[in-house]
Amino acid sequence: MEDDRVLAGDIGLELGLRVADALKAALDVDITPVEALIRPAAPGRGADYQCNVAMSLAKRLGRPPRDVAAALVEHLDAADLVEPPEVAGPGFVNLTLRRDWLQEHTSRLLGDDRLGVPEARPRRYAIDYSSPNVAKEMHVGHLRSTIIGDAVVRLLEFAGHEVIRHNHLGDWGTPFGMLIEHLVDLGWTSGEHSIGDLDGFYQQARKKFDADPAFADRARHRVVALQGGDEPTLALWRELVRESERHFATVYELLGVKLTDGDYYGESFYNPFLDEVVDELEAKGLTEVSDGAVCVFPPGFTNREGEPLPLIVRKSDGGYGYAGTDLATARYWTRDRGATDLLYLVGTPQAQHFRMVFAASRAAGWLDDDHRAAHIGFGSVLGEDGKILRTRAGGTVKLVDLLREAVDRAAAVVGERSKQDPEGQGRVARAVGIGAVKYADLSGDREKDYVFAWDRMLAMEGNTSVYLQYANARVLSIVRRVGHDAEPGTPVVLAEPAERALAVKVLQFPAALATATEEYAPHKLCTYLYETAVAFSAFYESCPIAQAEDDRTRRSRLVLARLTSRALTLGLSLLGIEAPDRM
């Protein structure tokens, strides 16, 4: 095996390659490196990695798991990388990295800005996230899509993929007929009102629509005028969009996400394609008319009575709903923009809708083996009472208010410790406050609900961004105090268990990042970063740097400190969280 392959990337992947070679030689079994099931060993196992493939192969081969494991170990060619492997329990294979290899590899890693992470074979991703509604203020319901989507974008871009962000704004249809007709009634002039005013006007329009049949009829005619290109109606609509986009930009800038005004693709953008979608689906024999609506019935989807479940592409009144727009979206991004992967950051309750859209898109040929789609679902943000997070008055929590409160609360936390000037404290408070909101969301399994609790997310201890930010600032403070004479190639000596444990943890960064990226699971990167910070704390307690017994040891430990900071800073940046040099 060439050592460059190890130095270029994930140690677990390299071990997987060697396990795959061993199984082919020993048992004539073909598996991929991923199927080798190499995982970092749990604490107390007495090893760095564990291979569990013998357990999964035993039934397939008709042999006891320990026999499969023993055959694997006998043929494993990895003496340059690991100590003699051991079979443990019912068939686990424990793998411990050689000290000399670990020391040399850690020494070289300081010169690698990517910390051993290889670049993937690039694909073109189109990712739909955030997706607020025009003429409405962004609220806490937009928080998860925006934060998780931004983290996924950052992870994919770092991996080497091309990522096209598209913010699918709700800017078309009946709601705008209602709102524009109400504004006309009010004698509204463009530029007179803020997004908050528009939000209020929308609520008023909704009530009028429900209570006044004459207004409802006028609103429906206004929708026809809008869709037909009536210029006065379009002028009002454009002003609604512009004012809303100014509001969105304020929120995105405060939140520190990558979305820009060049990423807006509202429902109106796809409107010209909707009739073409229906024509193409009809030409391919995929549609049926049901109660006057044009539908696709993807196989395998039924209602509670066992009847086929329709995906309504065009409603009986000729209008289009979410299904039609989502099909137009899949068609546009794969056919017209050449996207290989479509990602949708939308709440978990929409899972069935997207499965049906994907099934219909595959039947239409817009998705295939080379063009994939995934729904990245997530749970809700709950208050400490276990219910959907709301204001004390029971209203919707405005996102801009929540973020500003986060910065204000963080300022109080930072002010207790910081020795910086007010301007510096302000920058840190913003990094800490916004980071706390993001990390509280990202550190848990995205598919589950999570409880929004200020005290927990701003805690100085535990798995919080504040803990990680302070841990990184502490590491950098030590580096500044001790000196910068540990450069790439500085020999690393791992004499103490805590030194070795920290080195192994740093070297697991590529594996943690690969898992988080491939599974769209930022929480797995969060867990890794927390474990790294804890490993550094244990290292620092037992392995002094400034007071090390000799220069060689001091420089070696300084390398470990700098690598720790590199892992924390890079990892947090891929979550969209700042890591201030000083706190």
Side-chain angles (χ1 to χ4, degrees):
M1 297 282 181
E2 294 181 3
D3 198 44
D4 285 348
R5 184 164 61 176
V6 191
L7 294 176
D10 181 0
I11 299 167
L13 179 60
E14 174 62 21
L15 288 170
L17 288 165
R18 301 193 187 201
V19 166
D21 290 344
L23 288 171
K24 180 64 176 177
L27 303 170
D28 197 27
V29 171
D30 291 306
I31 65 168
T32 67
V34 173
E35 292 170 334
L37 300 178
I38 307 294
R39 301 288 186 269
R45 294 286 187 183
D48 299 321
Y49 289 87
Q50 191 172 74
C51 174
N52 301 335
V53 70
M55 312 293 290
S56 62
L57 286 178
K59 185 175 181 180
R60 169 179 160 187
L61 296 174
R63 298 178 59 172
R66 283 188 66 91
D67 287 358
V68 176
L72 187 164
V73 166
E74 181 181 354
H75 289 81
L76 183 63
D77 180 12
D80 60 317
L81 184 57
V82 297
E83 301 290 350
E86 298 177 352
V87 178
F92 305 119
V93 178
N94 287 337
L95 302 165
T96 301
L97 296 171
R98 288 174 56 95
R99 184 178 301 276
D100 56 349
W101 183 90
L102 187 56
Q103 291 178 159
E104 181 182 359
H105 189 65
T106 305
S107 173
R108 295 186 191 181
L109 200 60
L110 193 60
D112 182 0
D113 290 340
R114 295 179 62 85
L115 285 179
V117 178
E119 290 204 30
R121 181 176 299 171
R123 295 178 65 85
R124 170 178 273 195
Y125 285 81
I127 177 168
D128 175 343
Y129 65 112
S130 192
S131 305
N133 294 312
V134 164
K136 294 182 181 179
E137 289 188 82
M138 291 185 71
H139 55 77
V140 72
H142 298 112
L143 186 65
R144 302 211 70 187
S145 176
T146 306
I147 289 175
I148 298 170
D150 185 64
V152 171
V153 167
R154 292 170 185 269
L155 291 168
L156 290 171
E157 287 181 338
F158 186 77
H161 300 294
E162 179 185 359
V163 182
I164 308 170
R165 303 179 293 273
H166 58 108
N167 196 348
H168 193 117
L169 304 182
D171 68 349
W172 203 244
T174 301
F176 295 91
M178 293 189 305
L179 178 56
I180 293 172
E181 191 65 24
H182 179 58
L183 294 176
V184 170
D185 287 351
L186 295 177
W188 183 75
T189 302
S190 63
E192 287 184 349
H193 299 286
S194 69
I195 186 69
D197 296 326
L198 296 180
D199 205 344
F201 290 150
Y202 178 81
Q203 300 305 321
Q204 296 167 15
R206 177 80 258 181
K207 291 178 181 178
K208 284 174 66 175
F209 186 87
D210 294 337
D212 183 348
F215 175 80
D217 188 55
R218 285 191 288 119
R220 293 189 186 97
H221 284 292
R222 183 67 65 174
V223 174
V224 174
L226 176 65
Q227 294 175 340
D230 177 66
E231 189 51 42
T233 301
L234 283 172
L236 285 170
W237 174 79
R238 292 189 194 103
E239 184 56 34
L240 295 176
V241 172
R242 279 194 293 269
E243 178 57 38
S244 300
E245 290 181 351
R246 284 192 285 269
H247 166 68
F248 302 152
T250 297
V251 175
Y252 295 145
E253 193 277 331
L254 183 57
L255 197 52
V257 298
K258 288 195 164 192
L259 286 168
T260 70
D261 56 5
D263 301 321
Y264 294 134
Y265 290 84
E267 291 175 7
S268 59
F269 176 82
Y270 302 102
N271 188 63
F273 309 136
L274 296 175
D275 288 343
E276 296 176 10
V277 166
V278 172
D279 292 343
E280 186 170 339
L281 292 173
E282 288 179 339
K284 292 179 177 179
L286 298 174
T287 60
E288 295 180 33
V289 177
S290 176
D291 293 329
V294 177
C295 304
V296 174
F297 289 85
F301 294 92
T302 57
N303 60 21
R304 293 179 180 177
E305 288 72 38
E307 299 169 337
L309 198 61
L311 193 65
I312 301 175
V313 184
R314 186 168 64 202
K315 295 182 287 186
S316 58
D317 64 2
Y320 291 90
Y322 291 124
T325 303
D326 287 337
L327 288 169
T329 301
R331 177 176 178 264
Y332 171 77
W333 287 103
T334 55
R335 194 192 66 175
D336 297 349
R337 297 293 295 274
T340 59
D341 297 80
L342 307 181
L343 304 181
Y344 297 83
L345 270 292
V346 183
T348 298
Q350 297 299 315
Q352 178 173 268
H353 166 78
F354 279 103
R355 286 198 298 271
M356 294 178 70
V357 168
F358 297 161
S361 297
R362 281 191 293 273
W366 305 326
L367 296 177
D368 52 34
D369 291 344
D370 297 320
H371 299 85
R372 309 176 303 203
H375 168 222
I376 304 177
F378 52 84
S380 299
V381 184
L382 307 180
E384 295 188 66
D385 58 359
K387 300 177 181 179
I388 297 296
L389 183 65
R390 295 191 178 278
T391 64
R392 290 183 179 179
T396 301
V397 178
K398 297 176 181 178
L399 191 48
V400 70
D401 291 343
L402 181 144
L403 297 177
R404 286 170 178 162
E405 182 176 355
V407 176
D408 290 342
R409 285 176 176 265
V413 174
V414 170
E416 294 175 1
R417 294 193 175 202
S418 178
K419 297 180 181 179
Q420 297 191 58
D421 59 31
E423 183 178 350
Q425 286 190 28
R427 289 193 298 270
V428 172
R430 175 165 172 160
V432 170
I434 300 301
V437 171
K438 289 185 175 183
Y439 197 86
D441 190 311
L442 297 171
S443 57
D445 186 335
R446 60 173 165 76
E447 295 191 12
K448 298 179 181 178
D449 299 340
Y450 82 95
V451 175
F452 193 97
W454 288 115
D455 290 345
R456 184 162 65 245
M457 69 174 57
L458 287 168
M460 302 287 294
E461 300 297 331
N463 188 15
T464 68
S465 65
V466 187
Y467 173 73
L468 296 179
Q469 288 168 324
Y470 269 98
N472 181 64
R474 181 188 185 195
V475 175
L476 292 175
S477 176
I478 293 167
V479 170
R480 287 191 297 268
R481 187 169 69 251
V482 175
H484 297 270
D485 57 345
E487 301 298 333
T490 297
V492 171
V493 181
L494 304 175
E496 298 295 329
E499 292 174 314
R500 190 184 188 285
L502 181 57
V504 170
K505 182 55 64 178
V506 169
L507 294 180
Q508 289 173 352
F509 181 79
L513 194 58
T515 301
T517 305
E518 292 162 8
E519 298 179 12
Y520 312 120
H523 74 282
K524 296 191 175 182
L525 177 56
C526 294
T527 299
Y528 165 81
L529 295 176
Y530 176 63
E531 291 174 350
T532 301
V534 170
F536 179 83
S537 180
F539 156 79
Y540 189 65
E541 289 296 320
S542 60
C543 303
I545 299 177
Q547 288 78 39
E549 54 267 30
D550 54 56
D551 283 347
R552 184 186 185 198
T553 302
R554 179 178 59 81
R555 287 194 294 269
S556 172
R557 291 175 180 172
L558 197 55
V559 170
L560 291 175
R562 293 181 63 186
L563 287 174
T564 299
S565 176
R566 185 85 62 76
L568 293 176
T569 302
L570 179 55
L572 286 171
S573 74
L574 295 176
L575 299 172
I577 297 173
E578 295 180 55
D581 292 347
R582 290 176 170 84
M583 299 283 283

